[in-house]
Every structure is written in C-alpha cells, then in structure tokens.
C-alpha cells in the first residue's frame, strides 16, 4: 500500500511540474498535468473519429505518456539536444515497485514506438494539445507562435488529427464561450 500512496503523490507532483518549452515561446504556461488533461480529451475525440480503436488503451496511454517526467522533468526540444533522458530507468523502477508498473511501462513504450493505431492517435493527441495551447497564445497576441503551430501540425499522422488541427488554426479559441453572447443579455 505504501508504494501505491507514493505513486499517487508522485502523480500529484505533475500538477506542479511546469512544461519547459513555453519560456522559449515567450508566453503561456501549463503544468504537465494540465497538458495530460487536455491530451486525454483530444484522444477521446480522436478515438471517436477512428474505427477499431481500443479506447481504454488509448486513454491509458495518454494518461501515462508523460508520467516519467515527474522524476526527470519536462525536457523540451532544446534540452534534449544536451541532456540524456533516463526514461527507461524510470519505467524499470515503476515496474519493480508497483503491481501495475509493468502495464504503465508497456503503455509508455508503446506510445514512444508510435506503431499501433492507439499509439499513433495518442501521439497525435499530444501534438494537437500543443497546437491548441499555442493557438490560444496566438489569439492572446503572441506573434511568435507561427513556427510552433506549424511544427505541431507537421508531426500529426492521422487524418482526423489533421482535420481538427486545420479547423483549430482557423477558429478563434474564444468562440466556444462567445458564441452564445445573446444569452447573456437575459441573465
């Protein structure tokens, strides 16, 4: 039971662990847990738009895809050029410590391999969350976002993800709550 409690505290740490790339963009911030949350929603949508997907595996893969960052930190593109990731060591330790650790390790490895339909969609969900977050920064006035959006878009592999991305790039990120402006006059 102690290992399980430690695991839950470790998962909670992801709420305080900042994603490291946004200082390079000059605006925006989010925690790893924030990123994981929307990645799950994106994955659910992508899974609904795709045939033959094991939705449970897809969502679990997205839930755990960045879990090793609790121990390693969020290594962005620049940092990865200079720092060696020890993700396999983290996965090995989780496998030894937790009764379901091998399942988590297998899901993260599958995500990284990008070979199964679920892993392809999970990676697309990861990139689509980045694209959405950066689009929000563009809508808030950051002029540096163009290459970031393009980079995220280029990494998408599935047609549903590309379709969502193209529409997101044309949609103001505030449309969802400004669409019902007429209703506000009545309240």
């Amino acid at each position: 039971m102690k290992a399980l409690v430690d695991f839950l505290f470790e998962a909670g740490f992801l709420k305080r662990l900042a994603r490291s790339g946004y200082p390079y963009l000059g605006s925006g911030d989010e925690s790893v847990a924030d990123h994981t949350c929307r990645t799950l929603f994106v994955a659910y949508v992508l899974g609904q738009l795709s045939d033959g997907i094991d939705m449970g595996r897809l969502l679990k893969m997205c839930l755990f895809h960045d879990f090793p960052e609790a121990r390693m930190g969020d290594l962005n593109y620049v940092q990865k050029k200079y720092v060696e990731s020890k993700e396999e060591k983290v996965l090995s330790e989780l496998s030894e410590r937790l009764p379901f650790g091998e399942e988590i390790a297998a899901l993260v490895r599958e995500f990284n391999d990008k070979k199964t339909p679920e892993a392809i969609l999970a990676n697309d969900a990861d990139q689509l969350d980045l694209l959405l977050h950066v689009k929000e920064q563009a809508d808030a006035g950051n002029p540096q976002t163009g290459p970031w959006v393009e980079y995220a878009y280029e990494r998408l592999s599935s047609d549903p993800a590309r379709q969502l991305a193209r529409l997101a790039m044309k949609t103001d990120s505030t449309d969802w709550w400004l669409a019902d402006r007429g209703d506000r006059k009545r309240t």
Side-chain angles (χ1 to χ4, degrees), residues 20-59:
S20 65
Y22 295 113
Y24 295 94
L25 181 62
S27 71
D29 61 359
E30 70 178 345
S31 71
V32 173
D34 293 333
H35 163 66
T36 298
C37 180
R38 184 159 51 186
T39 298
L40 284 161
F41 283 100
V42 173
Y44 183 82
V45 170
L46 291 174
Q48 292 296 323
L49 294 172
S50 305
D51 295 326
I53 296 299
D54 181 335
M55 189 68 83
R57 209 164 94 240
L58 170 62
L59 294 176

Side-chain angles (χ1 to χ4, degrees), residues 170-185:
K170 293 187 261 183
T171 301
D172 187 295
S173 61
T174 62
D175 279 359
W176 70 273
W177 68 276
L178 291 175
D180 66 349
R181 281 176 237 163
D183 294 345
R184 293 193 186 116
K185 294 177 185 175

Side-chain angles (χ1 to χ4, degrees), residues 27-105:
S27 71
D29 61 359
E30 70 178 345
S31 71
V32 173
D34 293 333
H35 163 66
T36 298
C37 180
R38 184 159 51 186
T39 298
L40 284 161
F41 283 100
V42 173
Y44 183 82
V45 170
L46 291 174
Q48 292 296 323
L49 294 172
S50 305
D51 295 326
I53 296 299
D54 181 335
M55 189 68 83
R57 209 164 94 240
L58 170 62
L59 294 176
K60 286 190 285 186
M61 202 177 304
C62 288
L63 177 64
F64 292 113
H65 81 283
D66 280 340
F67 190 83
E69 292 180 5
R71 297 182 187 192
M72 300 182 330
D74 176 47
L75 300 176
N76 62 58
Y77 170 74
V78 173
Q79 292 166 333
K80 286 179 181 177
K81 289 170 46 178
Y82 306 102
V83 177
E84 183 180 334
S85 169
K86 301 280 187 179
E87 185 172 87
E88 197 52 47
K89 181 176 181 171
V90 173
L91 297 176
S92 176
E93 290 173 1
L94 284 173
S95 295
E96 293 169 6
R97 212 178 79 199
L98 296 170
F100 46 81
E102 186 49 49
E103 179 185 14
I104 293 172

Side-chain angles (χ1 to χ4, degrees), residues 78-145:
V78 173
Q79 292 166 333
K80 286 179 181 177
K81 289 170 46 178
Y82 306 102
V83 177
E84 183 180 334
S85 169
K86 301 280 187 179
E87 185 172 87
E88 197 52 47
K89 181 176 181 171
V90 173
L91 297 176
S92 176
E93 290 173 1
L94 284 173
S95 295
E96 293 169 6
R97 212 178 79 199
L98 296 170
F100 46 81
E102 186 49 49
E103 179 185 14
I104 293 172
L107 288 164
V108 172
R109 289 178 184 122
E110 182 179 349
F111 175 86
N112 290 337
D113 288 342
K114 302 176 191 173
K115 292 182 182 167
T116 65
E118 290 79 9
I120 290 167
L121 289 184
N123 276 272
D124 279 355
D126 184 41
Q127 290 304 308
L128 199 46
D129 172 63
L130 172 64
L131 186 144
L132 293 167
H133 188 81
V134 173
K135 176 63 166 79
E136 291 164 343
Q137 297 307 303
D139 291 349
N142 184 329
Q144 306 299 318
T145 59

